[in-house]
Amino acid sequence: MKTLRYFVFLFLFCNSVFAQSTYTFTKGLAAGPCHQYGREALYTDLLVHQLIQGKLNTPSEGNTLATDKNGKPIQWKSVQADTANRLRDASLTNGYVYLTYPSSEEKTALLQISGHSGLFFNGVPYSGDMYRYGWLFHPIKLKKGLNELYVRVGQGGRFQGITAKLIFPEKPAAISTADATLPHILIEETNGQLWGGVVLINTSDKPLKNLKLQASIGGNKVLSEVPVVSAMTSRKVPFKMNPAAVTQKGNVTCSLTLLQDGKPIDEKSITLTALSATEHHSNTFISAIDGSVQYYAVAPQVGGNKPGSALFLSVHGAEVEAIGQARAYKPKDWGTLVAPTNRRPRGFNWEDWGRLDALEVLSIAQKSFQPDPQKIYLTGHSMGGHGSWYLGATYPGKWAGVAPCAGYPTLMGYGSADGKIPESSQNPAEQMLLRASNPSNVIALAPNYKASGIYILHGDADRTVSVEYAREMRKVLSTFHNDFSYYEYPNGGHWYGDHSVDWPALFDFFKWHSIPKAQDVDSLNFTTANPAISSTYHWIGIEQQSAPLMYSNISAKRNSTAKTIAIKTDNVRILKLLPDAFPKDQSFKLSIDGQEVCNNCKMGEMPLFFSKNTTWEATPEPGPQQRNAQRNGTFKEAFNHQMVFVYGTGGTQEENEWAYQKAVFDAETWYYRGNGAVDLIADKDFNPADYPDRGIILFGNASTNKAWSKLLVNCPLQVNRGSIKLGDETHTGNDLGVYFTYPRPDSKTASVSVVAGTGLVGMKAAWANQYFAAGSGFPDYLIFTAEMPKEGAKAIKATGFFDQNWQYGAIKN
């Protein structure tokens, strides 16, 4: 009944927002299981394999789509919608449903599907609404004649199914408020401006330019510049509001007017809530990750914020909003609690961009609430329990206490591994992909937990995340940690009330702990898999690895009386001592791996760097032309720096269409998964100087994308029509796809990542954007054939990491 009410709500919502005619799909053909997408670069999809090759036959009842691994035919069968217009069938679990729409003319529409993980409309990929949020609308152009949809469905195909409809808009531009990101208005703090975010939908074949969004609250109007919304796309845009007229608690109406060249083209209203600053509330901010509007929630300190108090960072579980997480905690008299979003209720499992969101909110909270820097604490529940294990292991020295509640330690070991490569794999290519995801493995990073007090809380009857995960971590910690507490809540399920997280003994444990000052810590042990994610612990740091993305360790002992520092390393090529290593201008002796490096070292205001070729010696800070802690590679790194998508226009019509469609597909996926927004730029309009220090995602090869010559001339990997050259190696054919990264030559921090192919078949082989899956491992480069959707790792031609100078072949991968 709850599900039925939800779909009725979606129907009423869509028709109230767009107020246009609709068409609901009520029958189709289903086939499956035929695909497996997980948290990895590799995936299998027998339908996509045929679609890429141009060998996908039009489905019909009883026809065979493919043969499964046991030789059994996977056949198409008819499915009919139920009374809630849901298409459901057992064959839809990890399968596809084929839908058609005959159109008497060419026209635009909004395609709104819920419950799917992706789709192809007339051969073009679009993102999916796997979590059934109901606010993902695809602007499409119907052709005259038969329009075909292949809708990919995941685990919910049998019981939850999908709904699908077409909405025919009357206006080419519209504001959609279904997925608004909004703050609470605090009646004590109405002097400044607030940020909000709404979606703009463009169903025209031209970009929407010269846009402004006017927000009006109580007669106070604010006009915000709006970025370009590319043709036939939607984009979430930021806008400002002035709440000065709000004096009382309650609902507040904000009127929105979209203007183009000063003329109104659409109007909507949104409702905000005014609260007291003493209540749990949400604040918004502009994210440095992509320039989008994000929010975090606050459980304020009793009696108001007091600088020098504690700060608690609480990370939520799957499908939990940050404000819901914060409201599970009663306000504390000794600190403020903040809850980041992970970019979405599911987001990125607190890894990748979920990790960056947590760090971004932590930084904002430290500036806003000015806590005691020695009293910063980390906790979370379920997926947030994993987030606590992960962030706690990744950033030793940042947390006085870490308290995972009902958490699992690794994605690999939990059900959300979703088809991840087994660690036992002996395939060299699979091992390289696993290596790229080493930063996710908190078991390997477990010695870092020694930096914090650890409190483990878990219900002993938890059927969602087994208590065995907590017992596993208790066993791991017991081998080296002398400051952790463990409690199993009797008969406790996954959630047994707010005390599943707001547990008095947990906060008492926190109160007893503080972060020691760096100058007071004489013995350190630190492990990282990627210095660009985590490079320092108190006064030591790893700046460059010998073998990228393998685990690196550094242990250091300081004797202030003897004025010595002794360091041991593993897989470290360049290390650094930070200013707190020794008092300024005081001499000390330094030995590394048993070698005396200097007997008259002195610390200043800047770190000291030491490198090893055959022996250790003092060295300047590595420059931007080398791997370092600011830029250390993996394909996904370029997506961290307010990325710009640059699509090629210098190829054939089909190649250019692929580049634009792929850029739109990735932008749409980023919006859905990360509540984000991306600038889409044609290569002919791209000037690197206009986008300083921003990550560039380039779609197309050197023959089809005109931006290639501005960014990748010196890259050891070159892609052209018909061939890929990697160092001295050449791979030929028109069916090769590739993902790779390379430092942006005009930036010290940003990178260029490339999605390309050697021909149209190879380009389509790069359709899948598994890089947005949390914890998925993508090395510096990955070259594969169009057989990968069927053959998996067997189709990989080359994968690995560039050397310390971003060249190929100088290190052993």
Side-chain angles (χ1 to χ4, degrees):
M1 180 62 70
K2 181 178 178 181
T3 303
L4 179 59
R5 286 199 301 267
Y6 170 72
F7 283 111
V8 171
F9 162 77
L10 281 184
F11 177 82
L12 295 174
F13 170 79
C14 293
N15 284 282
S16 65
V17 168
F18 296 100
Q20 288 96 30
S21 61
T22 64
Y23 172 85
T24 300
F25 293 92
T26 57
K27 62 181 179 179
L29 295 169
C34 61
H35 65 75
Q36 175 66 60
Y37 289 78
R39 301 188 186 281
E40 196 50 82
L42 299 179
Y43 67 97
T44 57
D45 193 321
L46 300 180
L47 185 145
V48 165
H49 176 256
Q50 295 180 30
L51 188 61
I52 289 171
Q53 309 281 357
K55 298 178 180 179
L56 181 60
N57 294 322
T58 301
S60 61
E61 175 84 25
N63 278 7
T64 298
L65 166 64
T67 302
D68 68 16
K69 61 183 179 181
N70 297 318
K72 183 180 178 180
I74 303 170
Q75 295 179 321
W76 294 101
K77 59 178 293 188
S78 296
V79 289
Q80 297 284 333
D82 62 15
T83 55
N85 290 323
R86 293 173 297 181
L87 293 161
R88 299 186 296 167
D89 192 83
S91 61
L92 281 179
T93 299
N94 287 346
Y96 277 86
V97 60
Y98 173 70
L99 307 174
T100 59
Y101 180 81
S103 180
S104 60
E105 60 180 341
E106 183 180 285
K107 57 183 176 180
T108 59
L110 288 170
L111 177 60
Q112 196 266 325
I113 302 181
S114 185
H116 65 312
S117 56
L119 69 95
F120 291 91
F121 171 76
N122 288 341
V124 178
Y126 290 88
S127 186
D129 180 13
M130 67 190 80
Y131 304 127
R132 296 170 174 80
Y133 294 145
W135 38 246
L136 186 59
F137 301 95
H138 310 287
I140 59 171
K141 181 166 287 188
L142 297 164
K143 65 182 181 181
K144 183 179 181 180
L146 189 68
N147 295 269
E148 299 178 289
L149 294 83
Y150 292 93
V151 183
R152 189 171 73 240
V153 188
Q155 294 293 328
R158 179 175 185 177
F159 298 106
Q160 296 169 314
I162 68 159
T163 60
K165 68 168 59 178
L166 293 171
I167 304 167
F168 300 99
E170 296 174 351
K171 296 186 291 187
I175 303 169
S176 174
T177 61
D179 183 38
T181 300
L182 302 172
H184 286 117
I185 298 173
L186 303 182
I187 57 174
E188 300 91 341
E189 304 172 13
T190 58
N191 292 329
Q193 291 185 333
L194 301 176
W195 284 104
V198 292
V199 173
L200 301 184
I201 299 176
N202 179 8
T203 56
S204 73
D205 56 5
K206 294 181 180 179
L208 286 176
K209 299 180 179 180
N210 304 319
L211 298 176
K212 292 184 179 180
L213 193 59
Q214 178 180 278
S216 178
I217 299 178
N220 292 320
K221 298 179 180 179
V222 181
L223 206 58
S224 302
E225 299 282 346
V226 173
V228 173
V229 183
S230 298
M232 299 297 292
T233 67
S234 61
R235 175 173 180 157
K236 199 161 190 178
V237 301
F239 66 94
K240 295 177 183 178
M241 298 171 282
N242 181 355
V246 180
T247 59
Q248 295 181 342
K249 293 167 57 174
N251 289 339
V252 176
T253 298
C254 175
S255 299
L256 298 176
T257 304
L258 181 63
L259 302 107
Q260 185 175 39
D261 296 320
K263 299 179 180 179
I265 57 175
D266 196 30
E267 295 180 350
K268 292 289 190 305
S269 63
I270 53 177
T271 301
L272 296 93
T273 303
L275 300 171
S276 169
T278 62
E279 300 177 83
H280 295 75
H281 59 269
S282 299
N283 295 330
T284 49
F285 65 97
I286 297 293
S287 172
I289 299 171
D290 63 351
S292 64
V293 175
Q294 303 296 324
Y295 89 91
Y296 65 94
V298 180
Q301 185 175 1
V302 174
N305 179 62
K306 304 175 185 66
S309 297
L311 179 65
F312 314 104
L313 186 77
S314 179
V315 290
H316 63 72
E319 284 306 309
V320 177
E321 283 284 357
I323 186 61
Q325 181 75 3
R327 285 173 175 158
Y329 297 88
K330 295 177 181 178
K332 310 297 179 216
D333 61 4
W334 63 289
T336 299
L337 182 140
V338 295
T341 64
N342 188 34
R343 303 286 292 205
R344 286 290 192 192
R346 285 187 180 265
F348 303 102
N349 297 76
W350 299 107
E351 301 193 23
D352 298 313
W353 303 281
R355 167 184 64 86
L356 293 178
D357 177 67
L359 294 180
E360 197 167 29
V361 169
L362 177 64
S363 178
I364 291 170
Q366 287 176 307
K367 292 175 183 176
S368 298
F369 302 111
Q370 299 180 337
D372 182 336
Q374 268 63 59
K375 296 180 180 179
I376 310 296
Y377 304 90
L378 171 67
T379 187
H381 181 264
S382 190
M383 181 182 75
H386 164 68
S388 300
W389 285 122
Y390 173 71
L391 295 167
T394 303
Y395 298 106
K398 193 177 287 292
W399 322 105
V402 177
C405 305
Y408 50 91
T410 67
L411 292 174
M412 178 71 73
Y414 184 60
S416 57
D418 291 344
K420 210 163 170 59
I421 297 169
E423 288 183 294
S424 59
S425 171
Q426 298 301 307
N427 183 292
E430 290 184 339
Q431 282 295 312
M432 192 60 67
L433 298 178
L434 281 173
R435 174 172 157 184
S437 60
N438 274 345
S440 297
N441 188 355
V442 303
I443 305 298
L445 302 177
N448 290 348
Y449 291 128
K450 199 170 182 179
S452 306
I454 308 293
Y455 191 101
I456 304 173
L457 177 63
H458 213 116
D460 67 1
D462 191 337
R463 294 186 177 182
T464 303
V465 179
S466 170
V467 70
E468 292 302 323
Y469 291 109
R471 294 169 182 172
E472 172 195 3
M473 293 307 293
R474 178 180 60 183
K475 184 177 180 180
V476 169
L477 292 177
S478 66
T479 62
F480 66 88
H481 207 302
N482 59 6
D483 185 17
F484 76 93
S485 186
Y486 180 91
Y487 185 73
E488 290 184 12
Y489 191 87
N491 300 313
H494 192 56
W495 183 262
Y496 42 87
D498 287 352
H499 53 292
S500 302
V501 291
D502 194 12
W503 181 238
L506 184 158
F507 282 90
D508 286 343
F509 182 86
F510 278 175
K511 190 175 288 188
W512 304 333
H513 289 80
S514 61
I515 303 170
K517 294 182 179 179
Q519 59 265 33
D520 296 333
V521 182
D522 291 327
S523 181
L524 298 172
N525 189 296
F526 171 58
T527 300
T528 186
N530 186 346
I533 291 176
S534 176
S535 66
T536 62
Y537 173 29
H538 284 318
W539 45 267
I540 59 172
I542 297 171
E543 188 70 13
Q544 189 182 98
Q545 300 172 293
S546 299
L549 275 289
M550 297 293 281
Y551 297 107
S552 297
N553 177 264
I554 183 169
S555 62
K557 292 186 177 181
R558 178 178 61 194
N559 188 321
S560 299
T561 303
K563 295 181 174 56
T564 61
I565 294 178
I567 295 175
K568 293 182 180 180
T569 71
D570 182 34
N571 191 36
V572 178
R573 188 171 182 274
I574 300 178
L575 64 83
K576 58 188 173 186
L577 293 180
L578 303 180
D580 283 331
F582 242 87
K584 183 180 179 182
D585 296 328
Q586 187 175 119
S587 298
F588 63 94
K589 293 182 180 180
L590 173 67
S591 65
I592 307 176
D593 294 332
Q595 174 199 336
E596 185 176 292
V597 179
C598 69
N599 56 18
N600 191 29
C601 291
K602 290 184 179 181
M603 296 305 304
E605 301 293 335
M606 302 299 291
L608 298 179
F609 292 86
F610 301 89
S611 66
K612 181 180 180 180
N613 290 314
T614 55
T615 60
W616 285 98
E617 58 185 23
T619 188
E621 181 179 1
Q625 73 280 5
Q626 296 185 53
R627 301 183 91 102
N628 55 45
Q630 287 71 49
R631 184 167 56 188
N632 191 48
T634 78
F635 172 79
K636 296 163 76 168
E637 188 179 66
F639 294 78
N640 298 347
H641 298 280
Q642 204 169 341
M643 55 187 159
V644 180
F645 287 0
V646 181
Y647 57 91
T649 64
T652 65
Q653 180 178 340
E654 288 183 318
E655 290 170 333
N656 295 345
E657 288 175 349
W658 169 85
Y660 183 71
Q661 291 163 358
K662 172 60 174 165
V664 170
F665 174 39
D666 279 13
E668 190 177 65
T669 304
W670 173 251
Y671 156 64
Y672 181 84
R673 294 199 177 192
N675 192 29
V678 185
D679 290 326
L680 273 62
I681 308 295
D683 55 359
K684 56 186 175 60
D685 299 323
F686 175 70
N687 178 7
D690 295 336
Y691 306 92
D693 292 322
R694 295 177 65 176
I696 305 300
I697 315 301
L698 192 151
F699 298 91
N701 58 44
S703 304
T704 66
N705 194 304
K706 299 172 185 178
W708 193 285
S709 60
K710 301 174 184 177
L711 300 167
L712 296 166
V713 170
N714 297 318
C715 180
L717 198 160
Q718 294 291 318
V719 187
N720 285 280
R721 284 198 190 95
S723 69
I724 297 176
K725 187 173 183 181
L726 177 61
D728 295 330
E729 301 174 6
T730 300
H731 303 273
T732 59
N734 70 351
D735 64 339
L736 299 174
V738 60
Y739 309 119
F740 74 90
T741 192
Y742 191 70
R744 182 171 167 171
D746 57 348
S747 173
K748 294 181 180 180
T749 54
S751 299
V752 181
S753 285
V754 177
V755 180
T758 54
L760 199 59
V761 173
M763 291 173 176
K764 291 179 178 180
W767 261 336
N769 47 27
Q770 291 296 95
Y771 32 88
F772 291 127
S776 59
F778 279 74
D780 290 348
Y781 58 87
L782 176 63
I783 302 171
F784 49 91
T785 74
E787 294 298 313
M788 190 167 74
K790 182 178 181 181
E791 301 294 336
K794 295 178 183 178
I796 295 177
K797 291 291 187 180
T799 185
F801 297 90
F802 297 121
D803 70 7
Q804 287 85 1
N805 297 308
W806 297 101
Q807 298 303 307
Y808 172 71
I811 61 171
K812 184 178 180 180
N813 279 317

